[in-house]
Amino acid sequence: MSTSRIVQVGSVPMGGASPVSIQTMWDKPVTVVDDLLIQSMNNLSRKGCDLIRFALPNIQSVRQLSPLLHKTTMPLVGDIHFDYKIALEAINAGFHKIRINPGNIGESWKVEEIIAAAADRGAVIRIGANEGSLKTKGEWSPEARSRRLVQAAEDNLEIFERKGFKDIVVSLKSSDIEVTYLSNKEFRQQYDYPLHLGITEAGPLIPAIVKSTLGLSDLLREGIGETVRISISDKPEYEILAAAELLTNLGLKKGRIRIISCPKCGRTSFDTHAFLESVKEELNTLPLEASVAVMGCSVNGPGEASHADLGITGNGKQVLIFKQGKIVRREDICSAKEAFLEELEQLRREYSS
């Protein structure tokens, strides 16, 4: 499958040989840009977020969010529907990318004004189709539905191509796994615009992760998809972590810790669940390409997890810390976390030198 063209969204390139980027959408209205918002965004960035989208329901929301453009290096995307003036305001304010549905913006001259403003300011426009919003009727097979979705995206593209505007990202979304796969594959065979992948309305945490993994893995393995959002009816943090985990396991994202851990059982002498919870921030944010094991007993510790770069396991009333199967420390439960984090930092220094 051929690669897409490259578009530049602020500091993040999409397409070509660039890494697949990860994004989410802020989950609440923003009335003021304060330190808490900036800290939350920085936390998402450390977990793997490359860009973030904000709903812009009116002109006032653009003005309220605009100060954020000067307080973060993360590219910001404005999500706009119905009113072309909001899109113009966002572009002129400096939003790096806007998401519009040309079909609900109205007359073609309004879309043309948005295109002209984006071309002048170097903004990227995401356009596309969502199967849930299509009004067409007809055959209901996955093939027929995917063809209608591609046709809807092509209809939206027409005015942009006529105007020669190429800084576009396209999304073709469905809540159906097969329709998502077929439509994105068909589109990539005909066009080289970067694709925004996602299963729309995927549901709460576990169903959303399962559906998104099944629906997007084959596309990503085939080199289809330049940016990903895992839509989850839960915290944006989970969307980022799920996407990062998916890309890491597909070999498409580097520099992340791969966590190995076992469930509890009757042999457990170490509360793996509680320990993982206590160190999850470090494991999710430390820039380290390594495997780390958190195991419940010595059977699964230096034995079954002997390949781990760093591991910790229960051993009676103590814990063992090991590296690639070799025990390097024995600690009491009360000192386990501190010792483990010391070894984790030491591993980071070793691997970065």
Side-chain angles (χ1 to χ4, degrees), residues 7 24 29 37 68 73 81 86 93 96 110 119 142 155 163 165-166 182 197 214 225 232 278 284 291 298 318 321 333:
V7 301
T24 188
L37 173 61
L68 187 58
T73 58
H81 291 276
I86 303 174
H96 306 94
K110 295 179 180 179
D155 292 344
K163 288 294 181 179
F165 186 81
K166 299 292 187 180
L182 292 172
L197 296 186
L214 290 172
I232 301 175
S278 73
N284 287 328
S291 57
S298 55
Q318 286 190 317
I321 298 176
I333 297 291

Side-chain angles (χ1 to χ4, degrees), residues 304-315:
E304 293 183 15
S306 61
H307 60 286
D309 296 294
L310 176 67
I312 186 168
T313 186
N315 184 42

Side-chain angles (χ1 to χ4, degrees), residues 25-301:
M25 189 168 183
W26 197 252
D27 61 346
K28 56 183 72 71
V30 176
T31 57
V32 62
V33 173
D34 56 15
D35 289 342
L36 181 60
L37 173 61
I38 295 168
Q39 290 168 9
S40 298
M41 289 183 60
N42 289 339
N43 185 46
L44 290 176
S45 177
R46 288 193 297 271
K47 288 180 168 65
C49 185
D50 296 302
L51 60 161
I52 191 164
R53 180 161 44 116
F54 289 89
L56 300 177
N58 49 50
I59 296 290
Q60 183 182 10
S61 63
V62 179
R63 294 170 181 166
Q64 289 168 334
L65 267 168
S66 293
L68 187 58
L69 290 159
H70 309 291
K71 296 183 178 183
T72 179
T73 58
M74 187 185 295
L76 304 185
V77 183
D79 191 86
I80 297 141
H81 291 276
F82 304 114
D83 189 345
Y84 81 106
K85 292 180 181 178
I86 303 174
L88 296 178
E89 186 82 13
I91 291 169
N92 290 328
F95 276 78
H96 306 94
K97 177 183 169 191
I98 63 166
R99 185 260 188 169
I100 64 169
N101 181 344
N104 68 29
I105 290 295
E107 296 90 344
S108 60
W109 64 266
K110 295 179 180 179
V111 179
E112 290 174 0
E113 285 205 22
I114 294 173
I115 293 171
D120 184 59
R121 295 299 299 267
V124 173
I125 299 178
R126 174 188 150 197
I127 62 174
N130 188 316
E131 190 184 24
S133 64
L134 300 184
K135 306 298 185 202
T136 54
K137 298 180 180 179
E139 186 185 345
W140 202 243
S141 69
E143 292 77 12
R145 291 162 62 192
S146 66
R147 178 86 281 280
R148 288 196 292 268
L149 198 52
V150 172
Q151 183 62 56
E154 290 175 332
D155 292 344
N156 285 337
L157 271 173
E158 190 274 331
I159 189 171
F160 292 84
E161 296 200 315
R162 178 159 43 87
K163 288 294 181 179
F165 186 81
K166 299 292 187 180
D167 288 335
I168 296 168
V169 176
V170 176
S171 61
L172 301 98
K173 289 193 173 184
S174 171
S175 59
D176 183 278
I177 292 171
E178 190 170 5
V179 172
T180 298
Y181 173 77
L182 292 172
S183 58
N184 280 277
K185 185 165 185 176
E186 180 180 340
F187 186 89
R188 174 47 52 83
Q189 289 170 343
Q190 301 176 58
Y191 300 93
D192 66 351
Y193 297 111
L195 282 167
H196 169 119
L197 296 186
I199 303 294
T200 191
E201 300 157 357
L205 187 62
I206 293 175
I209 291 176
V210 172
K211 288 182 68 175
S212 298
T213 301
L214 290 172
L216 305 184
S217 292
D218 286 344
L219 288 168
L220 291 165
R221 283 194 188 98
E222 294 176 31
I224 301 171
E226 285 63 49
T227 186
V228 172
R229 180 193 178 191
I230 306 294
S231 297
I232 301 175
S233 299
D234 213 309
K235 300 175 185 177
E237 173 185 7
Y238 294 156
E239 297 191 350
I240 298 303
L241 293 175
E245 192 70 17
L246 174 60
L247 294 177
T248 298
N249 279 279
L250 290 173
L252 298 174
K253 188 172 181 65
K254 306 296 183 182
R256 288 187 62 83
I257 292 174
R258 301 179 301 282
I259 302 172
I260 303 163
S261 66
C262 61
K264 290 181 180 179
C265 74
R267 291 191 305 268
T268 299
S269 59
F270 179 54
D271 191 342
T272 56
H273 298 189
F275 188 81
L276 274 169
E277 182 66 22
S278 73
V279 298
K280 67 178 183 180
E281 196 67 21
E282 289 83 0
L283 294 179
N284 287 328
T285 60
L286 194 68
L288 172 63
E289 189 165 345
S291 57
V292 173
V294 178
M295 314 301 282
C297 70
S298 55
V299 172
N300 293 330

